[in-house]
């Protein structure tokens, strides 16, 4: 929990959550993050699922755990820019995406 808090003290505008991570899957990670948001341990952050499985069952599960939307693999940069603009209130024309900084947890 303290590791999460330290990581999220930085200004995080959104999370692109891989649903099939090896140690803790994206569904469990999202549940934990939403719990922390509800307890006001970290600010509200939109979480967008990133998955190769975009069937109806997975889509429902993503929304059920608190993800706000879904991006399918492989990533489509235009779709990613559009979703970033939608969830962090930045015009698409200002969405200059670069590789994110990765933090080890």
């Amino acid at each position: 929990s303290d590791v999460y808090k330290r990581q999220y003290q930085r200004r995080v505008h959104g999370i692109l959550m891989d649903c099939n991570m090896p140690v803790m899957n994206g569904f469990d990670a999202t549940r934990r993050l939403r719990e922390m948001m509800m307890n006001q341990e970290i600010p509200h952050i939109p979480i967008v699922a990133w998955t190769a499985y975009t069937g109806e069952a997975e889509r429902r599960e993503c929304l059920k755990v608190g993800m706000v939307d879904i991006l399918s693999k492989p990533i489509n940069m235009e779709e990613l820019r559009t979703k970033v603009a939608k969830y962090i209130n930045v015009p698409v024309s200002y969405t200059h995406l670069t590789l994110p900084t990765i933090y080890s947890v």
Side-chain angles (χ1 to χ4, degrees):
S1 179
D2 289 338
V3 173
Y4 283 115
K5 288 178 191 175
R6 282 195 307 272
Q7 294 303 323
Y8 291 101
Q9 285 175 347
R10 296 179 173 93
R11 183 99 166 111
V12 175
H13 299 281
I15 298 171
L16 184 58
M17 181 69 72
D18 189 340
C19 292
N20 297 305
M21 296 183 295
V23 176
M24 177 186 287
N25 68 48
F27 301 108
D28 292 339
T30 298
R31 281 186 198 95
R32 178 65 185 120
L33 288 167
R34 288 293 179 221
E35 178 182 303
M36 292 172 70
M37 290 173 205
M38 288 187 66
N39 292 334
Q40 298 180 347
E41 297 173 49
I42 60 174
H44 176 78
I45 305 163
I47 301 172
V48 175
W50 185 33
T51 180
Y53 308 103
T54 55
E56 191 55 38
E58 178 135 324
R59 180 173 291 280
R60 276 195 305 266
E61 183 65 16
C62 290
L63 298 175
K64 178 180 170 186
V65 300
M67 297 177 194
V68 297
D69 211 330
I70 299 165
L71 277 169
S72 60
K73 293 179 183 179
I75 200 83
N76 173 306
M77 288 305 288
E78 191 55 40
E79 185 180 10
L80 177 60
R81 283 184 189 94
T82 299
K83 298 218 189 256
V84 167
K86 178 178 181 180
Y87 293 108
I88 65 168
N89 296 320
V90 175
V92 175
S93 60
Y94 292 103
T95 309
H96 305 290
L97 298 173
T98 58
L99 292 175
T101 303
I102 304 298
Y103 297 103
S104 296
V105 177

